[in-house]
Amino acid sequence: MTDNTQRPQDGANSARPADLPTQYAPAEAEGQLYERWVERGYFEADAKSDKEPYTIVIPPPNVTGSLHLGHAFEHTLIDALTRRKRMQGYETLWQPGMDHAGIATQNVVERELAKEGKSRHDLGREAFVERVWKWKAESGGQISGQMKRLGDGVAWSRERFTMDEGLSQAVQTIFKRLYDDELIYRAERIINWCPRCLTAISDIEVEYQDDEGELVSIRYGDGDTAIVVATTRAETMLGDTAVAVHPDDERYRHLVGTEIELPLTGRRIPVVADEHVDPEFGTGAVKVTPAHDPNDFEIGQRHDLPSLTVMDEHAVITAHGPFQGLDRLEARSAIVAALRADGRIVAEKRPYTHSVGHCSRCKTTIEPRLSMQWWVRVGPLAKAAGDAVRDGRVTIHPKEMESRYFGWVDNLHDWCISRQLWWGHRIPVWYGPEGEVVCVGPDEEPPSEEGWHQDSDVLDTWFSSGLWPFSTLGWPQRTESLEKFYPNSVMVTGYDILFFWVARMMMFGLYAMDGAPPFHTIALHGMVRDQFGKKMSKSFGNAVNPLDWMDKYGSDAVRFTLARGANPGVDVPIGEDWVQASRNFANKIWNATRFALMNGATVEGELPAAAELRAEDRWILSRLNSVIAEVDAYYEDYQFSKLSEALFHFAWDEVFDWYVELSKTTFAKGGPAADASRRVLGEVLDVTLRLLHPVVPFVTEALWTTLTGQESVVVADWPRDSGFRDREAEREIETVRQVVTEVRRFRADQGLQPGQKVPARLDLAGSPALADHEDAIRQLLRLQPEGEGFTATATLPVAGATVALDLSGAIDVEAERKRLAKDLAAAEKELSQTTAKLGNEAFLAKAPDQVVDKIRKRQETAKSDIERISAQLAALPPG
């Protein structure tokens, strides 16, 4: 009826409640359990195995990082997938490792040096890099220990670092190949420059936000030759080399080809016609600063304009004149003041809110800057990355995210890969004294003659992390691991780094691995937000350290909460109350299993035949198989929220709240039926714990090993649906549940306490399905036998049965009648008011839709309340 191939070892006693403390203490259990798993090598992967491989790489956290809720969320999903596949018999590899995080790590060490009154330049490049390696050894990588706290089942023996020897060789190899294929080149282009980090950053490392600034309109030239331009960056006018207008703009056609004077500088600059200019925007004329704006750079290229750099790497003005040496913001104010004094300011608008780019790491306003950098020619690489999804070799999940992916790769600009840092993979290019340029591969010796020197820049961190799916497996060597575990089965990552990382891996994987994509599926998830849907941030005061919640409620509770909120591609709200509820679920699993063990639940021996089982036994086994099938389907569709909900409600509502309670009556009677139910209960708990294990690994390990006497649930078989279904038993028990639920609701409405016993007469003749369940119904409803002097003061017809209750000694009938009458009057008044409003045409014409909907809901609630209260009044004994 269920496929439970894991059986106790010979002589194992599966029922050992004494082995379980009365309460589950996650802090005491989790660390020991994880150490045991690692020691036994459960998470390691064997490249020589003949099992089918299942591979996932960890999105490498920064070496500077610590576990945050985003990590905990993503790691929970990946761990659930890999644990299930391991149980299904796959050779499972979850590849761990860390990213060297070029800018972030260099910033950390530079801050340490600043405390000593030093800079990296005081140490020199070689000594500074040694200092960073020392910092990594002593302080970096604390996140590894935190991952263990969470229960990450990664293959620790395979842990990699993007700066280790093997990965460095992979970086140098692919750089050389791309260079030789003319897909890497060096050119002077406009880049995003961070004046704080003192390096170029890529477009995707720029965060845009609305800042308050000023918009000033400046008159260039005089009289008939005057043109007004507007700018938010007045300081860049010192580098203007033209004014551009649209070719068809009649207002300026007479000026095209002439020169006008650039204020404050004494220089004369041309007026050019360019179709990039929007004649409908502003004055229809724009200043052109090729060295400090990407669009202006393109205009400059088309019109052969000079590019004048007027700021240094610190964003300090270098142009000769009174503004030289001023910071860009100081210069902005000074230049506007000078223009105002010269009568050149036509209009000023402040505050003027506009979108401004900031460095994603240090939040400094970026500065577009003309600079000589290294670039990847992404055209053919990006096309291959798009084709792999279009032709079905790679599937994006959820499918609606495909458009975002195509929107990116189909319009990808060449990628600036050089960074002006010292920590990172140094660009393997050497320059000779006569202008020679040599790119050196990993097996080649660099030029050693006098006058040769290596490029001082390092590569963008995303360059090395883009190789992660195959560099971690030993590429460029054709290792056994590479042959076994590439391509990865699935890439689980956030939609927010679809462009940062996923596109890079796709381009490099297809290029380096002869057209084989790095993974078969891209499963995208959302971002973790607070319980109100707001982005978590220290500045908002809503950031949460998951370790605090793990200390308080246990890792299983954090994991289950995160998985329960994980709908594909959708952001995940989370609050502490939800983690507490998940802790309660873990406790429920613990207490129910402990109760079952105390009552003899066992996994020993075969399950009895269906004909030998009571209806509740057949019902729960039928439901168990349905849930196995349901959970499997959800896993294959990456529906973590739905599979978690299905398991929660099955375990809590059906197994613990109904089957265990129904079994109590059977256990009390004893005999063969009780023995059969003990075996069924053991089976259900065994399978349920295995189903829950990938999401809540710790509590299920402690309980399953005690229940079964087996080694570990980590390496147990994943449950399989045997196909057993008993719809008749399901209908029968559903009828029992209906009777119990309706009578419980009535008892609660009458103000009876849950444990309060009430005399009752049960007439089950109208419902044959209930005939065998009178004892259980009485037990669940706390119903005593009729006894002498029984008076039916309330009669409830439900599901074909009749339940007559004697409430004469249980409630104050007159007081209850008054209370209900008061509630009925309030409900009738609410119905009258809402009906009147909804019947008012003038109100409906003016009121917003959401207000009208709210009143309609109030009306429906009032109708329902009137029906319910009237039934309660009718059920009361006559006064």
Side-chain angles (χ1 to χ4, degrees):
M1 284 171 282
T2 57
D3 185 0
N4 179 12
T5 54
Q6 287 278 333
R7 298 298 178 202
Q9 298 162 352
D10 291 342
N13 177 13
S14 63
R16 296 176 294 182
D19 291 352
L20 292 176
T22 54
Q23 291 183 325
Y24 178 51
E28 297 175 13
E30 291 175 350
Q32 295 177 10
L33 291 174
Y34 191 86
E35 286 180 15
R36 186 190 308 162
W37 293 335
V38 174
E39 287 171 2
R40 293 178 177 177
Y42 293 153
F43 305 141
E44 296 303 325
D46 182 4
K48 300 182 188 308
S49 166
D50 57 3
K51 296 179 182 178
E52 185 177 346
Y54 186 81
T55 315
I56 298 181
V57 295
I58 193 171
N62 287 353
V63 67
T64 59
S66 59
L67 190 75
H68 56 64
L69 268 178
H71 289 130
F73 172 54
E74 187 167 78
H75 291 200
T76 294
L77 305 187
I78 298 174
D79 197 40
L81 290 173
T82 54
R83 283 179 183 270
R84 172 174 173 263
K85 287 295 183 180
R86 186 180 295 111
M87 295 171 76
Q88 287 182 314
Y90 287 78
E91 191 62 38
T92 303
L93 170 61
W94 183 10
Q95 173 66 53
M98 283 184 293
D99 193 288
H100 65 279
I103 295 176
T105 307
Q106 181 157 318
N107 283 346
V108 167
V109 179
E110 286 196 270
R111 283 196 295 269
E112 284 193 353
L113 286 174
K115 294 175 185 177
E116 302 170 15
K118 298 177 182 178
S119 74
R120 60 179 164 129
H121 300 286
D122 294 323
L123 271 65
R125 183 168 194 143
E126 187 175 337
F128 176 77
V129 171
E130 287 181 6
R131 177 73 176 256
V132 180
W133 278 109
K134 181 181 178 184
W135 174 87
K136 176 191 178 292
E138 295 174 352
S139 306
Q142 63 173 318
I143 195 171
S144 296
Q146 296 164 350
M147 287 164 56
K148 295 175 182 177
R149 283 283 313 277
L150 188 65
D152 285 5
V154 299
W156 287 112
S157 69
R158 292 173 172 266
E159 187 173 13
R160 303 303 299 269
F161 180 56
T162 51
M163 287 278 287
D164 68 28
E165 184 177 352
L167 270 65
S168 294
Q169 184 185 39
V171 167
Q172 196 172 353
T173 298
I174 202 163
F175 187 100
K176 171 70 172 174
R177 291 187 186 179
L178 289 165
Y179 182 87
D180 289 346
D181 286 344
E182 298 184 350
L183 293 173
I184 282 183
Y185 64 96
R186 191 170 185 243
E188 193 174 43
R189 299 270 186 87
I190 289 283
I191 48 90
N192 303 301
W193 181 265
C194 176
R196 161 63 183 81
C197 298
L198 297 180
T199 182
I201 59 176
S202 65
D203 291 344
I204 53 178
E205 294 170 297
V206 178
E207 293 179 348
Y208 287 90
Q209 65 184 49
D210 287 341
D211 286 357
E212 285 191 358
E214 61 180 347
L215 179 69
V216 293
S217 298
I218 310 167
R219 188 182 76 252
Y220 286 18
D222 294 295
D224 293 340
T225 66
I227 297 182
V228 175
V229 298
T231 182
T232 58
R233 301 165 65 219
E235 69 279 8
T236 63
M237 67 165 291
L238 300 176
D240 286 0
T241 56
V243 171
V245 298
H246 193 275
D248 299 332
D249 196 331
E250 294 290 344
R251 294 171 294 176
Y252 304 116
R253 181 167 290 179
H254 67 289
L255 293 177
V256 174
T258 67
E259 291 186 343
I260 59 175
E261 185 172 330
L262 178 65
L264 306 182
T265 67
R267 285 193 292 112
R268 296 187 67 79
I269 58 176
V271 178
V272 299
D274 195 279
E275 291 188 350
H276 169 76
V277 180
D278 180 1
E280 303 298 323
F281 183 77
T283 64
V286 296
K287 58 193 287 297
V288 182
T289 320
H292 293 278
D293 183 273
N295 293 322
D296 293 2
F297 177 78
E298 297 297 331
I299 293 175
Q301 293 290 296
R302 288 193 289 270
H303 297 278
D304 198 25
L305 299 174
S307 297
L308 301 182
T309 299
V310 296
M311 273 181 266
D312 68 10
E313 60 185 7
H314 298 280
V316 171
I317 300 298
T318 57
H320 293 298
F323 312 108
Q324 186 174 6
L326 294 180
D327 171 80
R328 57 181 166 170
L329 299 181
E330 297 171 333
R332 183 176 301 170
S333 299
I335 287 170
V336 170
L339 289 167
R340 191 182 300 114
D342 202 25
R344 293 287 173 179
I345 300 296
V346 175
E348 297 180 66
K349 184 177 181 180
R350 65 169 68 86
Y352 177 73
T353 303
H354 60 130
S355 182
V356 177
H358 296 261
C359 174
S360 62
R361 291 178 177 83
C362 70
K363 311 309 176 186
T364 301
T365 301
I366 63 102
E367 191 64 45
R369 186 168 187 254
L370 186 63
S371 180
M372 182 67 75
Q373 301 285 344
W374 285 94
W375 304 81
V376 172
R377 199 183 312 278
V378 299
L381 302 175
K383 182 182 183 303
D387 290 346
V389 175
R390 287 189 170 95
D391 64 24
R393 281 175 289 157
V394 178
T395 300
I396 294 180
H397 187 88
K399 188 173 178 60
E400 53 265 28
M401 286 287 181
E402 277 188 3
S403 60
R404 296 183 65 174
Y405 176 79
F406 292 137
W408 179 256
V409 298
D410 292 349
N411 299 284
L412 203 55
H413 298 297
D414 284 0
W415 171 20
C416 177
I417 56 171
S418 46
R419 299 291 181 266
Q420 289 63 57
L421 304 171
W422 287 355
W423 172 246
H425 296 102
R426 195 164 175 182
I427 289 175
V429 172
W430 270 255
Y431 306 104
E434 303 299 326
E436 304 97 327
V437 179
V438 175
C439 180
V440 178
D443 299 322
E444 300 171 347
E445 289 295 326
S448 57
E449 296 87 353
E450 186 177 347
W452 284 82
H453 65 280
Q454 186 176 359
D455 195 298
S456 60
D457 289 352
V458 300
L459 288 164
D460 179 9
T461 300
W462 296 102
F463 190 95
S464 52
S465 59
L467 315 181
W468 193 247
F470 51 93
S471 64
T472 52
L473 298 173
W475 187 90
Q477 280 74 42
R478 283 283 175 179
T479 63
E480 285 183 322
S481 291
L482 188 66
E483 296 292 338
K484 177 75 173 179
F485 297 112
Y486 187 92
N488 289 190
S489 305
V490 61
M491 166 52 56
V492 179
T493 191
Y495 65 73
D496 54 320
I497 60 170
L498 180 62
F499 318 129
F500 277 91
W501 191 40
V502 176
R504 311 297 193 210
M505 289 187 288
M506 286 285 283
M507 290 191 297
F508 283 163
L510 291 160
Y511 173 79
M513 297 300 293
D514 303 320
F519 22 74
H520 298 301
T521 302
I522 302 167
L524 298 171
H525 58 72
M527 298 171 62
V528 179
R529 296 181 178 271
D530 71 12
Q531 58 189 326
F532 306 107
K534 190 174 182 180
K535 182 179 179 180
M536 286 192 172
S537 166
K538 290 181 180 178
S539 60
F540 294 155
N542 63 349
V544 173
N545 183 348
L547 297 170
D548 293 340
W549 281 352
M550 289 157 69
D551 289 341
K552 194 171 182 180
Y553 302 111
S555 298
D556 283 333
V558 174
R559 289 171 62 115
F560 191 72
T561 305
L562 291 166
R564 202 172 175 187
N567 290 299
V570 178
D571 289 345
V572 182
I574 184 172
E576 187 168 0
D577 288 350
W578 305 341
V579 184
Q580 186 173 355
S582 295
R583 188 272 312 275
N584 295 344
F585 179 50
N587 287 342
K588 183 78 170 180
I589 300 170
W590 184 271
N591 293 333
T593 305
R594 193 170 185 277
F595 165 83
L597 289 172
M598 292 175 67
N599 283 272
T602 181
V603 297
E604 293 180 4
E606 295 299 320
L607 276 172
E612 301 173 25
L613 296 176
R614 290 176 57 83
E616 57 262 37
D617 297 326
R618 289 180 278 113
W619 161 70
I620 199 64
L621 291 173
S622 179
R623 287 292 304 127
L624 180 63
N625 277 287
S626 294
V627 169
I628 293 171
E630 190 178 358
V631 168
D632 277 336
Y634 286 143
Y635 262 115
E636 295 305 314
D637 199 34
Y638 305 99
Q639 297 278 0
F640 296 97
S641 177
K642 290 182 179 179
L643 72 88
S644 299
E645 283 293 306
L647 287 170
F648 173 84
H649 288 294
F650 175 70
W652 193 308
D653 299 345
E654 297 185 82
V655 178
F656 304 147
D657 278 359
W658 285 102
Y659 181 67
V660 168
E661 292 300 315
L662 289 168
S663 299
K664 288 180 180 179
T665 305
T666 307
F667 292 158
K669 291 181 178 179
D675 291 339
S677 289
R678 290 187 181 98
R679 178 65 188 88
V680 170
L681 180 55
E683 180 79 5
V684 171
L685 287 174
D686 166 18
V687 175
T688 302
L689 290 170
R690 283 189 277 149
L691 289 171
L692 282 165
H693 173 73
V695 181
V696 283
F698 294 108
V699 68
T700 51
E701 172 79 344
L703 293 172
W704 190 85
T705 52
T706 302
L707 172 70
T708 66
Q710 290 286 327
E711 178 185 339
S712 174
V713 70
V714 176
V715 290
D717 290 335
W718 181 253
R720 284 180 286 184
D721 174 14
S722 68
F724 173 75
R725 301 290 190 278
D726 191 326
R727 302 304 184 197
E728 183 179 345
E730 290 189 30
R731 286 191 292 270
E732 183 171 329
I733 299 304
E734 183 54 39
T735 303
V736 173
R737 293 173 68 180
Q738 186 178 351
V739 170
V740 172
T741 300
E742 288 299 318
V743 177
R744 279 177 174 169
R745 183 179 293 120
F746 177 78
R747 285 176 54 112
D749 288 341
Q750 303 306 316
L752 295 177
Q753 296 300 313
Q756 190 173 352
K757 294 182 178 180
V758 177
R761 177 188 301 134
L762 270 64
D763 181 358
L764 307 179
S767 180
L770 297 174
D772 293 334
H773 301 286
E774 180 172 350
D775 290 346
I777 292 171
R778 285 186 176 276
Q779 174 68 26
L780 291 168
L781 290 172
R782 304 295 190 268
L783 302 180
Q784 294 177 317
E786 300 174 40
E788 207 171 312
F790 175 84
T791 303
T793 60
T795 303
L796 302 175
V798 55
T802 303
V803 180
L805 304 173
D806 184 353
L807 303 178
S808 56
I811 61 172
D812 183 336
V813 174
E814 191 55 37
E816 186 65 16
R817 191 183 306 281
K818 288 180 180 179
R819 183 185 72 80
L820 290 172
K822 183 178 179 181
D823 290 347
L824 181 62
E828 289 173 338
K829 182 179 179 182
E830 172 75 353
L831 179 61
S832 175
Q833 290 176 341
T834 54
T835 301
K837 279 192 175 183
L838 293 173
N840 186 334
E841 294 296 334
F843 169 76
L844 294 177
K846 294 179 181 179
D849 290 345
Q850 61 266 31
V851 172
V852 176
D853 288 343
K854 188 174 181 180
I855 293 173
R856 284 201 179 100
K857 289 177 182 176
R858 285 171 51 195
Q859 183 189 52
E860 292 303 315
T861 299
K863 290 179 179 177
S864 176
D865 287 345
I866 290 170
E867 183 179 347
R868 175 178 56 81
I869 297 168
S870 298
Q872 292 173 30
L873 279 167
L876 287 174

